[in-house]
Amino acid sequence: MRRKADVMPLCLVMSRFPCNRIKRLASNQKHNEKETPMIDQQIDIATKDGKTTTFITHPERGGPFPVIIFYMDAPAIREELRDMARRLGTSGYYVMLPNMYYRSGVMELGPIPPDPEAPERKRMFGFMNSINIPMVMEDTKALLAFAETQEAANTKIVGTVGYCMSGRYAVNAATHFPDRVKAAASIYGTHLATDQPDSPHLAASKSKAELYFACAETDIYAPQEIIDKVAAGMKGSNNEVEIYPATHHGFAFPKRPVYHRDAAERHWERLLALYRRNLST
């Protein structure tokens, strides 16, 4: 059964690879990258519990494209994530970035102070703790059902990526949809080794996908003992657990104080190589 969706007008934009709209270069520096015509959309996709507003981006021509589901981090949807989704899309993918806090009626949280006692941070953690793996897998099912109705999307070949709180969701998508998800990446993911049967560190035997775990060297949310459990769980498989030296949780986000340019670019190289190996049509 096809799900209905409220669709806003298509927006054709010109994105530059590799950096797209993330302005990291000096204003007087010349850009010689080949421009890739992209289509951006924001769509309300029906789910079991309501509607999730989802940002979708893909090249204008050449489809259908393998689908990549981009699961947000705890601070929620923002232009920084949309730019990252565009960067993935310019490589030839149909990228879906859903609002995972729709059940709480929020989408963008605004700036989050670093102070752990800040009301904004406590509010963010409340939203983060309001969702779980079963809920997100139901949402994933709805996202894929919508993508099946789109000519630009090839839902037989799917990749996932999750940052921070969503590393576990990206990996679980590979175990819940094993015939579709061919590659999954957790980028400084949290809750990677729990005592639950759906713990990501147990995923190697439950999925045919190639799994990649990018871990910060210093991360209070995923300390070394957790990384060791994940590495032990991946032993003997084709999956990879990589620690990025001299990095902290959040190193790939350009707007974060902990942003590490070299590590961020390395993570893009790893991510795109993962998809090239597994999402070829």
Side-chain angles (χ1 to χ4, degrees):
M1 180 179 68
R2 293 185 175 182
R3 296 176 181 269
K4 295 182 179 179
D6 299 329
V7 182
M8 297 181 67
L10 300 183
C11 176
L12 178 63
V13 300
M14 300 296 291
S15 296
R16 288 186 172 90
F17 182 84
C19 294
N20 290 330
R21 300 177 181 177
I22 302 174
K23 299 178 180 178
R24 295 193 290 106
L25 303 177
S27 59
N28 61 349
Q29 186 171 352
K30 293 182 179 180
H31 297 268
N32 296 316
E33 298 92 342
K34 183 179 179 181
E35 293 184 340
T36 302
M38 299 291 292
I39 291 177
D40 288 358
Q41 306 171 69
Q42 184 162 287
I43 300 172
D44 288 335
I45 296 178
T47 70
K48 180 180 177 182
D49 297 324
K51 293 181 180 180
T52 176
T53 301
T54 301
F55 176 76
I56 297 174
T57 183
H58 61 84
E60 177 193 13
R61 299 178 180 179
F65 305 101
V67 173
I68 292 178
I69 301 178
F70 181 156
Y71 299 99
M72 70 189 199
D73 63 328
I77 301 298
R78 54 196 185 277
E79 193 61 18
E80 181 179 45
L81 295 191
R82 296 186 187 99
D83 277 332
M84 294 171 74
R86 293 181 182 108
R87 179 164 178 173
L88 283 173
T90 57
S91 291
Y93 300 112
Y94 183 97
V95 184
M96 310 181 78
L97 173 65
N99 171 28
M100 299 169 67
Y101 293 158
Y102 72 91
R103 293 175 180 84
S104 298
V106 298
M107 182 166 169
E108 301 197 21
L109 301 183
I112 305 295
D115 180 2
E117 297 302 317
E120 298 91 342
R121 182 163 287 272
K122 290 183 177 180
R123 180 169 177 257
M124 177 192 74
F125 278 112
F127 292 136
M128 182 184 76
N129 293 327
S130 71
I131 59 176
N132 56 39
I133 290 171
M135 288 179 177
V136 176
M137 293 306 101
E138 283 291 336
D139 293 346
T140 301
K141 185 187 301 183
L143 293 169
L144 292 174
F146 171 80
E148 285 177 351
T149 70
Q150 304 302 298
E151 292 183 359
N154 178 359
T155 57
K156 294 180 181 178
I157 306 175
V158 178
T160 61
V161 60
Y163 293 79
C164 181
M165 71 169 187
S166 288
R168 55 182 155 163
Y169 301 136
V171 174
N172 264 271
T175 64
H176 282 72
F177 305 95
D179 294 329
R180 294 193 184 194
V181 178
K182 312 299 183 183
S186 164
I187 313 300
Y188 36 81
T190 64
H191 301 84
L192 296 180
T194 71
D195 59 0
Q196 299 301 308
D198 55 11
S199 176
H201 82 289
L202 303 175
S205 63
K206 303 177 182 179
S207 171
K208 295 179 286 187
E210 182 179 347
L211 308 178
Y212 175 70
F213 297 82
C215 306
E217 183 176 42
T218 303
D219 192 340
I220 61 172
Y221 303 109
Q224 187 62 48
E225 56 266 29
I226 296 297
I227 297 174
D228 291 342
K229 288 182 179 180
V230 176
M234 298 301 119
K235 189 175 181 180
S237 71
N238 191 39
N239 305 320
E240 182 180 5
V241 178
E242 182 175 14
I243 298 176
Y244 286 58
T247 60
H248 295 262
H249 185 88
F251 67 79
F253 294 132
K255 303 296 185 182
R256 295 278 181 90
V258 297
Y259 175 64
H260 191 299
R261 186 185 66 180
D262 292 344
E265 289 306 308
R266 187 182 310 120
H267 121 276
W268 282 114
E269 292 171 3
R270 300 287 196 270
L271 193 58
L272 291 171
L274 173 75
Y275 294 148
R276 282 194 299 270
R277 287 194 300 272
N278 296 282
L279 305 187
S280 59
T281 55

